[in-house]
């Protein structure tokens, strides 16, 4: 498993869909994953520390897990099939027993950044969808991706977050 971190969220210029970009800890590989607007809104709210008057769904999951005596230990993005990613949230009870919960990657990532736990991606997923950001091999693809992500700023996505948050109220 390869540890990743959230680099940011961008909008696909062709479809208007949000994309979360994960980077490995050495900034050598990036993994873009298309996600839904609600999940993107939740993630960006946490990244930018935008407060919510009431718990959002991902906060609710964490609160519920803690109240039930579980500790969230990590999330794993462990499979991909025809551009659909699969992930799991790992919980540990007070006796150290681990439980794996199936999840969409976008929800798992939103939970991971709130619980401050590692985001791990399998080597197979990286081989299928990651893009090199430091290799001279595939220079054209790398340059195109770097141009796409260089201007990713959480604040660029804030308008969509605010729009979605208003509709949730």
């Amino acid at each position: 498993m390869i540890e990743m971190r959230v680099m940011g969220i961008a909008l696909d210029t062709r479809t208007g869909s949000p994309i979360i970009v994960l980077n490995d800890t050495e900034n050598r590989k990036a993994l873009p994953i298309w996600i839904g607007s609600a999940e993107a809104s939740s993630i960006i709210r946490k990244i930018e520390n935008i407060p919510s008057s009431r718990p959002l769904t991902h906060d609710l999951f964490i609160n519920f897990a803690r109240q039930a005596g579980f500790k969230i230990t990590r999330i794993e993005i462990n499979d991909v099939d025809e551009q659909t990613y699969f992930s799991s949230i790992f919980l540990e009870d007070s006796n150290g027993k681990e439980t794996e919960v199936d999840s969409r990657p976008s929800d798992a990532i939103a939970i991971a950044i709130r619980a401050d736990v590692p985001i791990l991606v399998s080597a197979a997923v990286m081989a299928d969808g990651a893009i090199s950001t430091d290799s001279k091999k595939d220079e054209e693809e790398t340059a195109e991706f770097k141009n796409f992500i260089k201007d990713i700023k959480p604040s660029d996505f804030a308008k969509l977050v605010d729009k979605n948050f208003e509709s949730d109220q």
Side-chain angles (χ1 to χ4, degrees):
M1 291 293 208
I2 300 158
E3 187 165 356
M4 304 291 278
R5 59 183 170 74
V6 175
M7 180 185 171
I9 294 181
L11 290 175
D12 184 330
T13 55
R14 296 169 302 185
T15 65
S17 297
I19 304 167
I20 188 160
V21 180
L22 302 176
N23 268 36
D24 67 355
T25 55
E26 288 110 28
N27 290 319
R28 294 177 44 205
K29 296 271 186 186
L31 180 66
I33 301 175
W34 278 251
I35 63 174
S37 295
E39 295 78 15
S41 176
S42 179
I43 291 166
I44 207 70
R45 285 181 152 293
K46 178 60 180 169
I47 290 171
E48 291 206 350
N49 294 313
I50 299 171
S52 176
S53 60
R54 301 290 300 142
L56 300 175
T57 304
H58 301 108
D59 301 312
L60 174 65
F61 180 89
I62 292 169
N63 293 342
F64 181 83
R66 288 179 179 155
Q67 289 295 319
F70 289 95
K71 174 181 158 189
I72 300 166
T73 59
R74 70 186 183 282
I75 70 114
E76 293 181 1
I77 301 172
N78 44 33
D79 201 6
V80 60
D81 183 24
E82 296 182 22
Q83 297 183 338
T84 299
Y85 291 87
F86 298 87
S87 67
S88 297
I89 301 167
F90 288 84
L91 306 164
E92 187 177 285
D93 69 14
S94 59
N95 296 321
K97 181 182 176 211
E98 188 172 74
T99 301
E100 181 177 353
V101 178
D102 183 36
S103 174
R104 295 181 304 177
S106 55
D107 292 319
I109 292 166
I111 289 166
I113 63 173
R114 281 173 169 72
D116 195 27
V117 298
I119 299 168
L120 304 174
V121 179
S122 74
V125 169
M126 292 296 286
D128 185 74
I131 298 167
S132 175
T133 56
D134 74 346
S135 173
K136 293 202 178 198
K137 163 173 113 168
D138 302 326
E139 283 183 24
E140 190 174 299
E141 180 181 292
T142 301
E144 182 180 328
F145 185 71
K146 280 183 177 180
N147 284 335
F148 172 74
I149 64 171
K150 75 177 179 180
D151 295 323
I152 292 176
K153 297 180 199 96
S155 59
D156 291 343
F157 197 68
K159 290 178 188 171
L160 180 60
V161 171
D162 290 340
K163 181 180 175 186
N164 283 335
F165 183 69
E166 289 169 5
S167 67
D168 289 343
Q169 294 296 314

